[in-house]
């Protein structure tokens, strides 16, 4: 029977307490030695061929009969009031079907006190109007014919300036999100610092980084009567459905959201976008399907970013390295809108045993493009500052950096006092150090200086209810997994097929997986927070288990064999009572169109332990003292994410996370012109992401310790962990090479050369 | 080169447009006649006029490589060529690689090595590898890196793309 309980779930550094209806208890995790046939095996993606042949239809590829295209007019000013819009000339251009703006659309509120088409624009790139036309070129032409009269308002770009009392205000209640900082405290900070033998305080700065997913954000909207279907490039089809229904005043069952393939999200596609709502409004207005996809420049202006941070971090320790106090004051530049501020203090609060601690976070509105989640939001930034300062502390104490980290190791979650369900960080340190050859003292230095550094990773990755799945066994002996999750490029479909095949005893070729459509009705949470496998996987296993039980019930009667004697392997039913194994379809073929339908739900999270992921990375760099160029030679990573379901797709995520972390460490940075608020590198020519030529040698291993308390798989997430410590490890290696530390990311040549002058 | 540029050209210049103009594109061996505005890129002609959405539009300004196709055997960014420039030319796209439902060895290697994550850049990566292997059947790792250095992958599948290209070279060698 379903139970209503209150549960605590950690999502991206914040603990949420909510009521959930839980089901699905009673299936214990496979133990570490269980002989598994599909789970834990390197199985190539089941949808790899579609992606490799160009057949996979992404939202960007959806073309419907009679479809119109939308292009959004964006503000050229960082802060202005729209006095008037004249769309007449645009509307008369042949091929233009509609122009939407605040004048002819319902006033739909969107994020705080703002609207889909607002009369105030708050950053360069904010939505002003939208042209709907027969083709994109025509829509683009028409944008230039819209006349907008702006009343220019004073603007503020810098978060520290925005906190000043006389700063221009983005909102009537001021520029600070929530009106006050987010504060976390434990112990007695003053006492902690008084007990310390060494106190170090530094300010770290991290840049604003842009996602640049390869598939731009976009939606296609189609009305059939009063029902709306939307194809959306999203990490959360059910979230988009809920948002659209709420904003458009529709019942949930009248909105269907589909996302079959997606070209990357990295957090920027977690939530409903304005373009989606505009596409739906325009499709209703014109009576035709409407597609709005953003171009690369819009991607870099309006779809989110990892916000810049300023972190004042103070650390106190005894001579033996034991931490006595930690204090963080962080300022985050939210941009113009903010749904979910990153938790920059997360690593400081959780990573080490430290009794006296305070984190204070100011999330500040500025007249720049809005932040969004970006792969381990807050933790990448926070880990850079914390792990940099830990290295400085080690230097000050004359300790090895790894030794200092081990000195402050904790088996207890410092924020709740609960033990960790499992924690493989010590093993990650030890194995990483061995693989890397730590501590290796670099050879004598010439023009090329070598350096080594390391950093630690902590992140939730625990997954959460609710998530549902069905497993159907079809009359032909195949099985279909149905769930409302989405594959954002991580290999979700493959992993779910492995779980179902394992539990059913079917060959994996007999399993198909249907996801990415709300019409299937089975809710699954957003694909973010490294929680898809740990949320949806257990529901799939439960559904497969139930389907298997039904199959055994039926087979026992059809085959006239004792039920307990029956086993299923490779899709064949065997029993000592049978002369030879019988294929599943042979059992079902005489039952007409009888279907087996197993139902599964994600079990609740444990209340008495904290489920987390851990890891450690080691970096070796060379720095060219003539050019300032940093070359990352080698990254060694060892992570603990519980049981590994698919080592092949997992290794891709690990490598990808490290490579994104490398870009963040060395060259990625949004640059905003101080005088105009214009992003000067809103394209892939000038915003530098890693290319094939930047890739270091990457060596990694998994601790691979199934976590029986986490869920019935023993698996945790791995999407975000690998990006978390990379920049910190590289920064520590660069500091080791240079002999001086740079406190600001990215570590550009200019900064390196400047540091070398001292 | 400079002197050549100022000399009047003998080649007859065809004036196209304004308005739509009829061109012939030979795509994966099939001839298509399409009516396009002169400003339409080869990429949009493939995607919108021919429904071949394998080549992806991720930047539309020659900075990412997701739209890489082969024109007369050479890899180009399809977003940087006008469709009318390709009139009468032979174009190879990702859709032309698999034959009779069987993956091309490069595609097979990409799947087996997991050289793709979201897959949006994959058709472009594969076409760049195709161009490399057509030209150089036994590339080194450095050759591969250079060949795909104009194809961005935000998921960071690069290490596996390198492996897949080298594996594909082997598969093609065994097959021939």
């Amino acid at each position: 029977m379903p139970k209503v309980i209150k549960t605590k779930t950690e999502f991206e550094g914040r603990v949420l307490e909510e009521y959930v209806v839980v089901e699905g208890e009673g299936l214990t995790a496979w133990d570490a030695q269980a002989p598994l046939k599909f789970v834990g095996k390197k199985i190539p993606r089941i949808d790899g061929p579609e992606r490799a042949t160009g057949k996979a239809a992404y939202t960007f590829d959806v073309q419907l009969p009679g479809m119109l295209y939308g292009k959004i007019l964006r503000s050229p000013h960082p802060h202005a009031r729209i006095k008037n819009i004249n769309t007449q000339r645009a509307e008369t251009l042949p091929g233009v079907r509609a122009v939407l703006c605040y004048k002819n659309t319902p006033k739909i509120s969107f994020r705080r006190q703002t609207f889909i088409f607002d009369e105030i624009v708050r950053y360069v790139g904010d939505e002003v109007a939208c042209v709907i036309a027969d083709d994109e070129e025509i829509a683009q032409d028409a944008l230039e014919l819209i006349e907008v009269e702006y009343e220019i308002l004073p603007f503020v770009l810098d978060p520290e300036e925005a906190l000043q009392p006389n700063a221009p205000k983005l909102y009537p209640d001021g520029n600070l999100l929530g009106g006050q900082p987010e504060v976390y405290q434990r112990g007695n900070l003053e006492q902690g610092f008084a007990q310390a033998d060494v106190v170090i305080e530094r300010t770290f700065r991290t840049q604003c980084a842009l996602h640049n997913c390869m598939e731009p954000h976009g939606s296609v909207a189609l009305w059939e009567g009063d029902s709306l279907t939307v194809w959306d490039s999203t990490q959360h089809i059910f979230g988009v459905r809920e948002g659209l229904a709420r904003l458009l005043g529709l019942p949930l069952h009248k909105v269907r959201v589909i996302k079959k393939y997606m070209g990357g999200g990295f957090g920027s596609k977690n939530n409903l976008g304005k373009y989606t709502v505009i596409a739906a409004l325009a499709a209703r207005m014109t009576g035709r399907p409407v597609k709005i996809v953003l171009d690369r420049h819009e991607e870099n202006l309006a779809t989110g970013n990892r916000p810049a941070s300023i972190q004042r971090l103070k650390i106190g320790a005894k001579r033996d390295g034991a931490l006595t106090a930690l204090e963080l004051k962080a300022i985050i530049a939210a941009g113009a809108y903010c749904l979910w501020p990153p938790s920059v203090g997360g690593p400081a609060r959780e990573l080490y045993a430290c009794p006296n601690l305070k984190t204070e976070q100011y999330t500040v509105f500025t007249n720049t493009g809005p932040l969004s989640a970006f792969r381990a939001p807050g933790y990448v930034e926070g880990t850079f500052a914390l792990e940099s300062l830990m290295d400085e502390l080690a230097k000050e104490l004359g300790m090895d950096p790894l030794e200092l980290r081990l000195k402050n190791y904790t088996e207890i979650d410092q924020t709740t006092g609960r033990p960790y369900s499992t924690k493989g960080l010590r093993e990650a340190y030890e194995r990483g150090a061995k693989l890397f050859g730590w501590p290796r003292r670099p050879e004598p230095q010439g023009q090329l200086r070598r350096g080594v550094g390391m950093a630690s990773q902590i992140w939730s990755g625990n997954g959460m209810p609710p998530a549902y799945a069905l497993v159907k066994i079809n009359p032909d002996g195949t099985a279909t997994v149905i769930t409302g999750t989405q594959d954002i490029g991580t290999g979700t479909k493959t992993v779910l097929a492995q779980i179902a095949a394992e539990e059913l005893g079917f060959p994996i070729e007999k399993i198909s997986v249907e996801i990415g459509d709300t019409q299937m009705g089975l809710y699954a949470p957003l694909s973010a927070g490294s929680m898809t496998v740990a949320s949806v996987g257990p529901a799939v296993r439960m559904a497969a288990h139930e389907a298997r039980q039904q199959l055994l019930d039926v087979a026992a009667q059809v085959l006239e064999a004792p039920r307990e004697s029956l086993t299923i392997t490779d899709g064949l039913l065997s029993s000592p009572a049978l002369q030879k194994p019988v294929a599943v379809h042979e059992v079902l073929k005489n039952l007409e169109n009888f279907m087996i339908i197993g139902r599964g739900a994600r079990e609740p999270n444990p209340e008495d332990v904290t489920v987390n992921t851990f890891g450690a990375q080691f970096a070796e760099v060379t720095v060219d003292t003539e050019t300032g160029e940093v070359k990352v030679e080698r990254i060694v990573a060892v992570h603990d994410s519980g049981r590994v379901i698919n080592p092949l797709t997992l290794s891709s995520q690990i490598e990808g996370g490290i490579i994104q972390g490398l870009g963040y460490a060395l060259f990625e940075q949004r640059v905003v012109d101080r005088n105009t608020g214009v992003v000067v590198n809103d394209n892939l020519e000038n915003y530098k992401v890693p290319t094939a030529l930047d890739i270091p040698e990457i060596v990694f291993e998994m601790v691979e310790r199934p976590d029986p308390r986490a869920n019935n798989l023993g698996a945790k997430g791995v999407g975000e962990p690998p990006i978390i410590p990379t920049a910190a490890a590289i920064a520590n290696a660069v500091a080791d090479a240079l002999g001086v530390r740079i406190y600001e990311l990215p570590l550009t040549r200019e900064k390196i050369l400047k540091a070398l002058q001292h | 080169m400079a002197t050549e540029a100022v000399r009047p050209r003998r080649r007859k210049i065809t004036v196209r447009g304004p308005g739509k103009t009829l061109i012939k594109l030979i795509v994966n061996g099939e001839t298509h006649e399409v009516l396009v505005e002169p400003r339409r890129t080869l990429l949009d002609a493939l995607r919108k006029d021919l429904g071949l959405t394998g080549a992806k539009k991720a930047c539309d300004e020659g900075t990412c490589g997701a739209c890489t196709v082969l024109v007369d055997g050479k890899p180009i960014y399809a977003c940087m060529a006008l469709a009318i420039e390709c009139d009468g030319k032979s174009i190879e796209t990702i859709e032309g690689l698999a034959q009779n439902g069987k993956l091309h060895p490069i595609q097979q290697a990409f799947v087996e090595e997991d050289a793709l994550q979201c897959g949006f850049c994959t058709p472009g990566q594969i076409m760049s590898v195709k161009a490399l292997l057509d030209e150089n059947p036994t590339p080194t790792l450095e050759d591969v890196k250079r060949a795909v250095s104009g194809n961005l992958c935000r998921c960071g599948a690069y290490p596996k793309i390198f492996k897949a290209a080298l594996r594909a070279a082997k598969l093609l060698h065994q097959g021939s």
Side-chain angles (χ1 to χ4, degrees):
Chain A
M1 195 188 93
K3 277 188 300 186
V4 181
I5 61 155
K6 211 173 193 186
T7 189
K8 281 193 186 130
T9 304
E10 190 185 342
F11 179 72
E12 301 190 338
R14 288 191 173 70
V15 176
L16 318 171
E17 195 169 44
E18 48 194 15
Y19 284 103
V20 288
V21 180
V22 293
E23 309 163 74
E25 282 170 284
L27 204 55
T28 53
W30 295 296
D31 73 68
Q33 274 73 44
L36 301 177
K37 220 169 153 161
F38 299 106
V39 166
K41 299 294 184 307
K42 286 187 175 185
I43 293 177
R45 280 166 213 257
I46 59 173
D47 54 355
E50 290 97 295
R51 294 179 199 259
T53 51
K55 297 288 180 217
Y58 295 75
T59 301
F60 199 91
D61 301 323
V62 172
Q63 298 195 51
L64 302 177
M67 189 172 82
L68 302 173
Y69 294 83
K71 280 275 164 211
I72 294 170
L73 181 70
R74 296 182 178 277
S75 169
H77 304 295
H79 201 190
R81 181 187 305 279
I82 300 171
K83 284 161 73 181
N84 193 28
I85 299 185
N86 185 349
T87 58
Q88 214 169 9
R89 283 177 62 213
E91 280 163 17
T92 52
L93 189 75
V96 170
R97 303 297 163 192
V99 181
L100 287 77
C101 65
Y102 71 88
K103 286 180 169 178
N104 62 347
T105 53
K107 203 165 178 162
I108 298 172
S109 76
F110 192 81
R111 297 186 187 179
R112 289 170 56 96
Q113 322 94 304
T114 67
F115 301 94
I116 292 286
F117 287 115
D118 209 296
E119 290 175 52
I120 309 258
V121 286
R122 296 175 181 83
Y123 71 98
V124 174
D126 215 347
E127 290 82 353
V128 172
C130 182
V131 172
I132 308 297
D134 291 350
D135 211 340
E136 282 169 294
E137 290 97 333
I138 299 170
Q140 194 69 48
D141 290 345
L143 287 184
E144 287 162 29
L145 302 176
I146 300 175
E147 293 149 21
V148 189
E149 260 181 83
Y150 293 101
E151 176 197 339
I152 307 294
L153 301 174
F155 64 91
V156 60
L157 305 176
D158 180 275
E160 286 177 300
E161 282 170 27
L163 279 176
Q164 299 302 317
N166 55 352
K169 283 187 175 42
L170 275 84
Y171 297 100
D173 53 351
N175 294 335
L176 181 59
L177 178 72
Q180 53 188 7
E182 271 185 278
V183 178
Y184 168 89
Q185 270 187 98
R186 64 174 181 251
N188 183 323
L189 204 62
E190 269 180 40
Q191 256 178 34
F193 282 116
Q195 287 162 5
D197 297 320
V198 178
V199 174
I200 309 180
E201 189 174 359
R202 296 282 183 268
T203 299
F204 297 87
R205 287 169 190 270
T206 64
Q207 76 278 35
C208 174
L210 301 168
H211 300 72
N212 271 310
C213 336
M214 294 306 286
E215 182 190 22
H217 291 61
S219 310
V220 179
L222 167 74
W223 288 88
E224 291 160 299
D226 58 354
S227 293
L228 172 66
T229 300
V230 169
W231 288 259
D232 191 24
S233 185
T234 178
Q235 294 173 237
H236 195 202
I237 52 172
F238 277 92
V240 171
R241 181 180 78 149
E242 187 279 326
L244 281 171
R246 184 163 38 82
L247 298 188
L248 301 175
L250 296 165
L252 284 175
H253 70 270
K254 292 284 185 190
V255 184
R256 176 182 187 184
V257 180
I258 302 172
K259 206 267 352 230
K260 290 295 179 190
Y261 297 92
M262 187 169 93
F266 312 114
S268 69
K269 295 175 181 170
N270 281 357
N271 306 105
L272 175 66
K274 271 191 182 179
Y275 51 89
T276 314
V277 184
I278 296 171
L281 291 173
R284 189 158 64 184
M285 197 182 270
T286 58
R288 287 167 66 175
V290 168
K291 179 178 191 173
I292 301 180
V293 290
L294 306 193
D295 67 23
R296 185 52 50 188
H297 299 267
E298 295 177 285
E299 278 299 294
N300 280 322
L301 297 176
T303 64
N305 55 61
R306 184 189 300 282
S309 75
I310 303 161
Q311 301 175 56
R312 185 91 189 143
L313 191 61
K314 187 176 172 187
I315 199 164
K318 304 294 278 182
R319 271 278 149 229
D320 66 359
L323 300 186
T324 58
L326 244 177
E327 186 182 14
L328 170 71
K329 186 182 166 190
I331 298 175
I332 308 301
Y337 307 99
C338 180
L339 269 183
W340 179 265
S343 192
V344 172
R349 293 191 290 269
E350 299 165 3
L351 194 49
Y352 298 112
C354 181
N356 309 299
L357 183 140
K358 183 181 181 190
T359 62
E360 199 176 351
Q361 177 169 326
Y362 296 76
T363 305
V364 186
F365 291 111
T366 50
N367 291 108
T368 52
L371 67 77
S372 66
F374 190 161
R375 205 167 187 171
Y379 279 55
V380 173
E381 303 91 301
T383 300
F384 161 68
L386 178 64
E387 289 293 76
S388 295
L389 199 58
M390 284 295 276
D391 262 32
E392 283 207 31
L393 179 62
K395 202 171 177 182
E396 183 74 31
L397 294 169
M399 280 176 90
D400 178 82
L402 179 51
E403 194 191 327
L404 176 65
R405 284 160 176 92
L406 286 166
K407 174 74 189 168
N408 292 289
Y409 196 84
T410 174
E411 296 287 352
I412 304 293
D413 173 359
Q414 297 288 299
T415 60
T416 61
R418 300 184 301 194
Y420 288 113
S421 51
T422 57
K423 179 169 178 175
L425 183 56
R426 188 182 296 277
E427 195 179 329
Y429 283 141
E430 285 164 2
R431 283 169 60 180
K434 203 169 161 210
L435 278 169
F436 187 82
W438 183 277
R440 198 168 55 86
R441 286 323 307 157
E443 52 268 41
Q445 315 267 357
Q447 181 189 329
L448 287 183
R449 292 198 195 166
R450 279 179 185 276
V452 295
M454 55 88 54
S456 328
Q457 169 256 314
I458 191 165
W459 181 250
S460 50
N462 54 348
M464 59 166 103
Y468 304 95
L470 295 182
V471 170
K472 296 188 301 174
I473 300 177
N474 304 306
D476 65 353
T478 61
T480 309
V481 177
I482 303 173
T483 172
T485 188
Q486 46 274 308
D487 190 334
I488 61 173
T490 54
T492 300
K493 265 179 137 172
T494 310
V495 162
L496 298 183
Q498 287 174 268
I499 293 166
E502 191 71 56
E503 189 62 34
L504 288 170
F506 283 23
I508 196 156
E509 302 75 36
K510 299 254 181 194
I511 312 285
S512 70
V513 180
E514 297 295 335
I515 58 174
D517 187 346
T518 59
Q519 206 73 339
M520 294 172 191
L522 297 167
Y523 180 86
L526 76 167
S527 294
S530 305
M531 63 176 195
T532 305
V533 167
S535 301
V536 184
V540 169
R541 186 177 171 214
M542 177 64 66
H545 178 79
E546 208 183 286
R548 178 191 167 92
Q549 298 311 312
Q550 291 175 34
L551 176 61
L552 290 171
D553 288 342
V554 171
Q557 297 168 62
V558 171
L559 302 171
E560 295 178 354
R563 190 188 183 283
E564 330 57 80
S565 75
L566 285 167
T567 56
I568 314 173
T569 327
D570 286 336
L572 300 171
L573 287 137
S574 308
S575 157
L578 298 172
Q579 284 180 338
K580 57 177 183 134
V582 181
V584 170
H585 69 92
E586 292 290 334
V587 174
L588 299 176
K589 75 176 179 191
N590 295 325
L591 301 175
E592 298 289 335
N593 283 310
F594 168 72
M595 289 196 77
I596 288 172
I597 302 173
R599 179 176 175 281
R602 169 60 151 81
E603 68 268 49
N605 281 332
E607 292 289 318
D608 56 336
V609 290
T610 297
V611 177
N612 254 12
T613 64
F614 303 93
Q617 289 183 10
F618 298 76
E620 180 180 345
V621 302
T622 50
V623 181
D624 188 323
T625 52
E626 300 264 300
T627 63
E629 186 183 5
V630 176
K631 183 157 187 274
V632 179
E633 303 285 351
R634 200 159 60 105
I635 300 278
V636 168
V638 182
H639 288 268
D640 170 22
S641 284
R643 180 190 295 286
V644 175
I645 310 284
N646 187 332
L648 183 64
T649 52
L650 174 133
S651 67
S652 295
Q653 291 222 59
I654 299 264
E655 289 166 356
I658 289 169
I659 289 166
Q660 271 183 355
L662 181 150
Y664 180 72
L666 299 185
F667 32 74
E668 292 188 33
Q669 180 171 27
R670 181 187 74 179
V671 179
V672 178
D673 178 50
R674 287 192 65 82
N675 298 315
T676 59
V678 169
V679 177
V680 297
N681 59 345
D682 62 344
N683 56 60
L684 287 166
E685 182 73 34
N686 297 315
Y687 183 90
K688 300 294 182 192
V689 303
T691 75
L693 300 175
D694 301 310
I695 307 309
E697 180 193 355
I698 297 172
V699 177
F700 85 93
E701 286 183 5
M702 298 304 288
V703 169
E704 181 93 62
R705 190 184 294 173
D707 184 342
R709 299 299 311 281
N711 51 62
N712 69 34
L713 305 172
K716 309 178 216 184
V718 78
E720 286 150 307
I723 196 179
I724 291 173
T726 310
I730 291 172
N732 283 339
V734 169
D736 181 47
L738 298 182
V740 287
R741 182 169 293 277
I742 297 167
Y743 295 94
E744 189 173 345
L745 292 179
L747 302 169
T748 57
R749 295 177 189 209
E750 184 195 1
K751 287 182 200 144
I752 301 280
L753 292 175
K754 213 165 148 192
L756 281 167
Q757 285 168 2
H758 292 292
Chain B
M1 291 305 282
T3 49
E4 232 173 276
V6 291
R7 199 180 296 158
R9 291 186 182 210
R10 301 218 170 242
R11 198 156 59 93
K12 198 176 156 228
I13 293 168
T14 320
V15 177
R16 304 275 200 179
K20 292 191 175 180
T21 173
L22 190 70
I23 59 165
K24 198 193 285 178
L25 299 176
I26 306 158
V27 183
N28 303 323
E30 281 182 26
T31 302
H32 301 268
E33 288 197 330
V34 284
L35 202 55
V36 295
E37 275 193 55
R39 64 175 162 175
R40 176 146 289 199
T41 61
L42 173 61
L43 179 61
D44 276 340
L46 290 170
R47 291 179 56 86
K48 289 181 173 170
D49 297 303
L50 300 181
L52 295 171
T53 56
K56 300 300 182 204
K57 190 196 276 190
C59 75
D60 208 22
E61 53 192 13
T63 58
C64 79
C67 63
T68 303
V69 298
L70 309 190
V71 174
D72 291 339
K74 296 271 175 253
I76 66 155
Y77 291 160
C79 72
M80 296 302 281
L82 293 174
I84 54 169
E85 290 178 89
C86 302
D87 191 5
K89 290 191 179 167
S90 181
I91 297 146
E92 203 177 343
T93 73
I94 189 74
E95 287 90 349
L97 259 59
Q99 293 295 328
N100 305 319
K102 194 174 177 303
L103 295 182
H104 184 281
I106 301 175
Q107 293 169 319
Q108 187 192 332
F110 265 67
V111 173
E112 285 169 358
E113 292 287 356
D114 206 41
L116 54 90
Q117 290 180 47
C118 81
F120 207 73
C121 74
T122 308
Q125 304 278 1
I126 289 176
M127 294 316 287
S128 286
V129 171
K130 172 82 167 49
L132 169 71
L133 298 184
D134 283 352
E135 184 98 5
N136 174 7
T138 52
T140 63
L141 175 63
E142 290 312 309
D143 295 335
V144 170
K145 286 187 177 181
R146 215 184 139 63
V148 297
S149 62
N151 293 80
L152 298 180
C153 170
R154 193 54 163 152
C155 299
Y158 299 117
K160 296 209 160 93
I161 291 170
F162 306 156
K163 278 191 188 172
L166 295 171
R167 181 178 185 143
K170 267 195 203 139
L171 286 172
L172 283 162
H173 187 67
Q174 286 161 5
S176 64

